């Protein structure tokens, strides 16, 4: 269980997961059952002191995710209204 891990172990596991799955902070939080704030703090603050090479890779991914977030938001909105339209047509 992730809550049994130390902060050092957790930040490395979260960083590895983010990179391996090209995941967002929200996705990682859902998988590991912790808050988005916990994931973000672990990979942006704690990880730097535990594994700097991993930290730098995660920062690149987070930057990429931030640049793409408006696209994911637009896609989510499109899906929402498509689903509502289909329900209304039923």
């Amino acid at each position: 269980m992730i809550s049994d891990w130390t902060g050092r172990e957790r930040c490395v596991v979260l960083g590895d997961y983010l990179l391996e799955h090209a995941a967002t902070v929200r996705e990682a939080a859902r998988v590991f059952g912790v808050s988005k704030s916990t994931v973000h703090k672990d990979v942006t603050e704690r990880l730097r002191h535990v594994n700097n090479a991993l930290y730098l890779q995660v920062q690149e991914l987070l930057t990429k995710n931030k640049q793409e977030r408006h696209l994911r938001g637009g896609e989510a909105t499109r899906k929402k209204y498509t689903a509502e339209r289909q329900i209304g047509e039923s």
Side-chain angles (χ1 to χ4, degrees):
M1 175 130 203
I2 197 165
S3 61
D4 296 335
W5 297 343
T6 66
R8 296 173 69 89
E9 293 170 334
R10 186 179 65 210
C11 67
V12 171
V13 170
L14 290 169
D16 285 338
Y17 179 84
L18 287 170
L19 290 177
E20 185 176 321
H21 295 91
T24 63
V25 168
R26 186 180 297 256
E27 291 166 346
R30 192 175 305 121
V31 167
F32 289 97
V34 295
S35 71
K36 294 181 302 182
S37 299
T38 298
V39 174
H40 194 267
K41 184 167 184 111
D42 279 352
V43 299
T44 60
E45 295 178 19
R46 293 184 181 113
L47 187 57
R48 169 185 270 166
H49 303 291
V50 176
N51 185 334
N52 196 54
L54 180 60
Y55 165 80
L56 294 173
Q57 290 177 309
V58 170
Q59 292 312 300
E60 286 181 28
L61 176 65
L62 293 178
T63 300
K64 176 181 162 275
N65 286 346
K66 188 173 183 178
Q67 291 170 345
E68 294 174 350
R69 71 181 170 189
H70 68 284
L71 299 172
R72 282 190 294 276
E75 180 65 19
T77 301
R78 186 185 67 75
K79 286 180 180 179
K80 172 186 172 184
Y81 287 111
T82 300
E84 286 179 5
R85 198 170 327 126
Q86 290 174 347
I87 291 172
E89 292 173 356
S90 300

